[in-house]
């Protein structure tokens, strides 16, 4: 979800093309590579639907594990994605049901979306871990400004909470639509349509959620400028 926060902050600072592309690359990999893996396995190699979907689902699992090993720390969102993906692959292999594999993707959205909503309501928004680096950009002044705003600004904390709530709601809605379609539409149709649904959900999330992210980025920048003015 890095692309989400990156877009918001870039607009707040008049945008930077390189940063935007850096944020879009993970999304392109997560969407395009599994889809390509499915068609390679099914259409080129002649594998069955369940086997092909398993190959496609293994891609995000490998990426998540590699990310955890590379960062040498447990990211809550990555851990949730890993657990749901592995469980979905296991259930689908046991049941031999391609539609169950597609529902697994819907379940992934619901678990992540539900986690975003619950953690936001508990005051520990899940999306903050991904958004904060794009706001502070490793700068001590912005890091300090973030801390002051978290401690003293109810509006800042509300925007933080609403950002996760917006994204969580979008993903849960996507889950419901995708789960229904998985048992109504042909599997071959849902393979590509599910990707379209994911991209559409991301677009909607950007439109809704970035309103709050932009406000937070603007508040951080304003706080840095205010602090600099006070120092002289």
């Amino acid at each position: 979800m890095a692309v989400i926060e990156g877009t918001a902050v870039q607009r707040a600072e008049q945008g930077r093309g390189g940063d935007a592309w850096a944020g879009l690359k993970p999304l392109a990999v997560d969407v395009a590579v599994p889809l390509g893996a499915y068609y390679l396995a099914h259409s080129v190699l002649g594998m069955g639907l369940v086997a092909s979907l398993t190959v496609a689902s293994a891609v995000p699992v490998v990426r998540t594990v590699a990310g955890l090993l590379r960062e040498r720390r447990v990211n809550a969102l990555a851990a949730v994605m890993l657990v749901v993906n592995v469980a979905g692959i296991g259930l689908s292999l046991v049941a031999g049901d391609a539609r169950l594999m597609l529902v697994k993707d819907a379940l992934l959205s619901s678990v992540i979306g539900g986690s975003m909503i619950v953690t936001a309501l508990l005051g520990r928004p899940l999306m903050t871990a991904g958004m904060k680096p794009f706001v502070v950009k490793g700068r001590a002044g912005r890091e300090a400004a973030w801390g002051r705003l978290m401690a003293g600004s109810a509006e800042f904390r509300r925007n933080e909470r609403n950002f996760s709530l917006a994204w969580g709601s979008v993903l849960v809605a996507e889950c419901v639509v995708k789960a229904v379609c998985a048992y109504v539409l042909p599997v071959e149709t849902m393979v590509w349509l599910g990707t379209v649904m994911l991209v559409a959900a991301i677009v909607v999330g950007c439109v809704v959620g970035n309103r709050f992210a932009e406000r937070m980025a603007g508040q951080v920048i304003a706080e840095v400028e205010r602090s600099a003015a006070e120092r002289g």
Side-chain angles (χ1 to χ4, degrees):
M1 297 293 181
V3 62
I4 303 164
E5 302 87 359
T7 302
V9 180
Q10 287 145 19
R11 281 210 296 264
E13 298 181 322
Q14 278 87 61
R16 291 175 182 161
D19 288 345
W21 171 237
L24 285 171
K25 282 195 294 184
L27 175 62
V29 172
D30 289 337
V31 171
V33 174
L35 187 60
Y38 166 81
Y39 282 113
L40 175 64
H42 186 57
S43 301
V44 178
L45 301 180
M47 297 173 64
L49 286 175
V50 174
S52 299
L53 289 169
T54 300
V55 170
S57 296
V59 174
V61 171
V62 172
R63 275 179 49 76
T64 302
V65 172
L68 292 173
L69 294 176
R70 182 175 60 252
E71 297 176 7
R72 298 190 180 280
R73 63 185 179 85
V74 177
N75 179 284
L77 183 56
V80 169
M81 293 175 66
L82 177 62
V83 170
V84 175
N85 266 306
V86 172
I89 292 173
L91 287 173
S92 299
L93 289 175
V94 171
D97 186 355
R99 295 187 184 277
L100 181 59
M101 181 70 80
L102 295 173
V103 172
K104 179 268 300 180
D105 292 334
L107 178 61
L108 180 61
S109 292
S110 71
V111 171
I112 294 174
S115 298
M116 290 177 181
I117 293 173
V118 171
T119 55
L121 295 176
L122 292 177
R124 299 176 64 87
L126 186 61
M127 291 292 282
T128 300
M131 173 173 49
K132 184 178 177 181
F134 283 88
V135 174
V136 302
K137 294 185 177 296
R139 302 175 188 175
R142 292 191 179 191
E143 181 76 36
W146 177 287
R148 290 194 297 271
L149 288 167
M150 284 296 295
S153 174
E155 180 184 0
F156 189 79
R157 294 192 298 271
R158 183 167 57 252
N159 286 325
E160 179 200 25
R161 181 188 69 241
N162 288 342
F163 181 80
S164 279
L165 286 175
W167 272 98
S169 299
V170 168
L171 291 177
V172 169
E174 185 224 358
C175 159
V176 174
V177 174
K178 187 177 289 184
V180 171
C181 290
Y183 282 97
V184 173
L185 300 175
V187 172
E188 292 83 352
T189 299
M190 275 304 299
V191 169
W192 63 264
L193 185 58
T195 300
V196 172
M197 290 179 179
L198 172 62
V199 173
I202 291 173
V203 171
V204 174
C206 284
V207 172
V208 179
N210 277 8
R211 294 177 56 194
F212 305 109
E214 287 175 357
R215 293 172 188 173
M216 294 179 70
Q219 286 179 283
V220 167
I221 293 170
E223 176 64 17
V224 170
E225 293 174 349
R226 184 195 65 79
S227 180
E230 287 183 351
R231 292 196 302 268

